[in-house]
Amino acid sequence: MSDSAVTGETVLIKNVLLYGEGEPTDVLLGDGVIAAIGADAGKDAAPDAEVIDAAGQILLPGFVDLHTHLREPGREDTETIDSGSAAAALGGYTAVFAMANTSPVADSVVVTDHVWRRGQEVGLVDVHPVGAVTVGLEGKQLAEMATMASGTGRVRMFSDDGHCVYDPLIMRRALEYSSSLGVLIAQHAEEPRLTVGAIAHEGPTAARLGLAGWPRAAEESIVARDALLARDAGARVHICHASTAGTVELMKWARGQGISITAEVTPHHLLLDDSRLETYDAVNKVNPPLREASDVAALRAGLAEGTIDCVATDHAPHAEQDKCCEFAAARPGMLGLETALSIVVQTMVRTGLLDWRGVARVMSERPAEIVGLDDQGRPLEVGEPANLVLIDPDAEWTVHGPDLASVAHNTPYESMTLPARVTTTILRGRITASDGQARVRVRNGRG
Ligand SMILES: NC(=O)N[C@@H](CC(=O)O)C(=O)O
Ligand SMILES: [Zn+2]
């Protein structure tokens, strides 16, 4: 064997378009990294290398989701780290951030380390635990952020998501503390005094349908407040699921002031608006609510120009009994991991707002940068970690909830035909999903 020969599990991807550009080429993966790129990349491939004919397919860095709800521990009847990892791998993700609103809440290192370890055992995607900002998500007392940040799970992001850290003094202290720890605070921006009883976007549709309204100002007032608190604390703040045109304007203003603020938008806020509520189907109930077409247009434009940094799924599985009930009683949230790429292609690529490099930016590179992951969202270059996704841009598929890997089936895209599909996902050189099947880890005999 020559010195340059690649050892361990090797994968040879043939005839693939890097970032959807240029001429098709070959990419060899070995030892968990990109070992070679080019027409002769296969010359060092081991005889037993897995060969993927990727003609017509696009290679991007694996996706990173800053906002996933995996429901373990506590609601394993709706999602587990196993099922959620499979959904993530099938959606093209190589890293996800599992939100802290589990039961028990991830406000201690016991829970955050469990989430990390369980994710590594499953081995389909890196499951990074998000720690709670406050004990029990109650907004009263800061959780032990330093302990969680230094645990095995190395918590990099803290959020009370599902709840807003509404007390400005607590938020200020959390931001001050976060900058000394080098971690990120992600805010579910919702002024709770403005959303008492609210279940839908406050506007003409909700008024006509008799649904109590969640005004845009409930989000925007917190975005503005937190921008100012981050400025004063010299800290960074990340805005979860931006949903209004006004939030895009506030982001522009804050950036112009030199404030360290980033924001994500969900696929559903890029595609759906409150006209979906006409049927009273609670599958469309989500926080923040689906807004108006003008907000959807502003969010798309904001993402295209970089004012909104990235796409995050807010994948929120719920049991059938919590979704197939009266709108007011239903829980908010919808599935997102397995449909995210298709929705981004439909809303951003097919509309000419983003090219495939732009998709890599908003789904891989920016989210990895925002949380400081140095092994994700990397350039497609020799020596870089082989965290990758292969996409068939011309595929079309019809969504059917029970076919998704999640335990729960609450997809708002049921029976919709969507463009583009993930064909293969690769984590550290190992195929984690291909042709619609997640691949659980096979021991390689060395370990
Ligand atoms: N988005 C939602 O409507 N629900 C999320 C919580 C959240 O992200 O706010 C959930 O945990 O179900
Ligand atoms: Zn939220």
Side-chain angles (χ1 to χ4, degrees):
M1 199 179 268
S2 75
D3 283 351
S4 62
V6 169
T7 56
E9 191 164 351
T10 54
V11 176
L12 179 62
I13 306 169
K14 294 188 70 81
N15 303 310
V16 73
L17 286 173
L18 308 189
Y19 300 105
E21 296 167 356
E23 295 298 317
T25 190
D26 295 353
V27 179
L28 180 68
L29 315 178
D31 298 328
V33 301
I34 299 177
I37 299 178
D40 61 354
K43 76 175 167 26
D44 290 327
D48 62 346
E50 181 155 357
V51 179
I52 300 172
D53 178 7
Q57 297 186 36
I58 292 169
L59 187 67
L60 298 185
F63 303 143
V64 176
D65 190 16
L66 296 184
H67 194 146
T68 313
H69 296 276
L70 293 184
R71 308 303 190 207
E72 180 179 341
R75 285 305 301 265
E76 291 84 351
D77 59 318
T78 62
E79 195 77 291
T80 63
I81 292 171
D82 274 86
S83 63
S85 293
L90 289 164
Y93 288 89
T94 47
V96 299
F97 282 74
M99 280 295 177
N101 63 339
T102 49
S103 181
V105 169
D107 59 3
S108 73
V109 72
V110 177
V111 179
T112 56
D113 278 1
H114 165 79
V115 169
W116 170 256
R117 284 209 195 93
R118 188 72 203 112
Q120 291 300 299
E121 279 164 22
V122 175
L124 292 172
V125 59
D126 286 343
V127 180
H128 292 275
V130 177
V133 176
T134 68
V135 174
L137 309 175
E138 285 172 354
K140 305 271 188 239
Q141 187 192 338
L142 286 183
E144 297 217 5
M145 289 164 56
T147 317
M148 290 185 267
S150 58
T152 316
R154 282 206 50 205
V155 175
R156 301 159 177 278
M157 178 161 100
F158 290 85
S159 181
D160 276 3
D161 183 62
H163 303 264
C164 183
V165 181
Y166 62 87
D167 181 329
L169 185 58
I170 297 271
M171 186 62 178
R172 180 182 187 178
R173 295 280 176 261
L175 287 167
E176 288 167 352
Y177 203 27
S178 74
S179 64
S180 63
L181 287 174
V183 298
L184 182 70
I185 304 283
Q187 176 71 293
H188 167 115
E190 173 182 356
E191 167 51 70
R193 295 287 295 147
L194 292 175
T195 61
V196 176
I199 51 179
H201 166 66
E202 183 180 278
T205 305
R208 189 159 38 78
L209 299 175
L211 302 172
W214 208 117
R216 293 184 180 97
E219 173 170 310
E220 294 159 3
S221 57
I222 296 292
V223 173
R225 183 200 79 174
D226 287 357
L228 299 174
L229 292 176
R231 179 194 65 190
D232 289 2
R236 298 189 300 141
V237 67
H238 179 74
I239 302 300
C240 296
H241 40 48
S243 74
T244 77
T247 291
V248 179
E249 289 307 309
L250 287 164
M251 289 292 301
K252 262 186 228 168
W253 172 82
R255 291 261 175 84
Q257 301 291 307
I259 296 170
S260 287
I261 186 167
T262 53
E264 68 193 31
V265 61
T266 69
H268 47 273
H269 289 108
L270 289 172
L271 180 67
L272 308 174
D273 62 38
D274 66 349
S275 63
R276 294 271 301 202
L277 302 181
E278 300 284 349
T279 60
Y280 290 97
D281 185 342
V283 81
N284 298 306
K285 183 173 175 181
V286 65
N287 279 341
L290 300 179
R291 304 246 181 224
E292 295 179 35
S294 53
D295 297 289
V296 171
L299 291 165
R300 290 183 187 185
L303 182 65
E305 72 187 13
T307 304
I308 302 288
D309 298 82
C310 65
V311 172
T313 67
D314 193 6
H315 177 84
H318 286 295
E320 191 166 349
Q321 70 269 20
D322 292 325
K323 282 307 236 180
C324 298
C325 50
E326 203 202 330
F327 200 90
R331 292 196 190 215
M334 42 183 68
L335 298 185
L337 286 168
E338 291 174 77
T339 46
L341 171 74
S342 293
I343 303 299
V344 169
V345 171
Q346 177 149 332
T347 59
M348 301 298 295
V349 179
R350 295 281 164 96
T351 53
L353 289 166
L354 283 183
D355 58 13
W356 288 98
R357 260 194 201 266
V359 174
R361 173 167 61 81
V362 302
M363 295 190 71
S364 310
E365 294 161 8
R366 282 300 289 146
E369 282 165 16
I370 287 169
V371 283
L373 285 185
D374 54 14
D375 62 339
Q376 299 280 349
R378 301 291 305 164
L380 301 177
E381 290 170 8
V382 171
E384 293 288 355
N387 296 320
L388 304 166
V389 58
L390 276 168
I391 296 158
D392 179 351
D394 301 321
E396 289 205 328
W397 62 293
T398 302
V399 182
H400 185 44
D403 294 344
L404 300 175
S406 283
V407 177
H409 304 319
N410 53 305
T411 173
Y413 313 114
E414 178 62 40
S415 301
M416 281 174 65
T417 298
L418 300 179
R421 194 136 206 208
V422 169
T423 61
T424 309
T425 308
I426 297 167
L427 177 67
R428 288 184 279 281
R430 194 174 68 78
I431 296 174
T432 51
S434 69
D435 299 323
Q437 297 293 319
R439 287 198 199 175
V440 288
R441 194 198 302 268
V442 181
R443 288 177 73 96
N444 62 13
R446 294 186 302 174

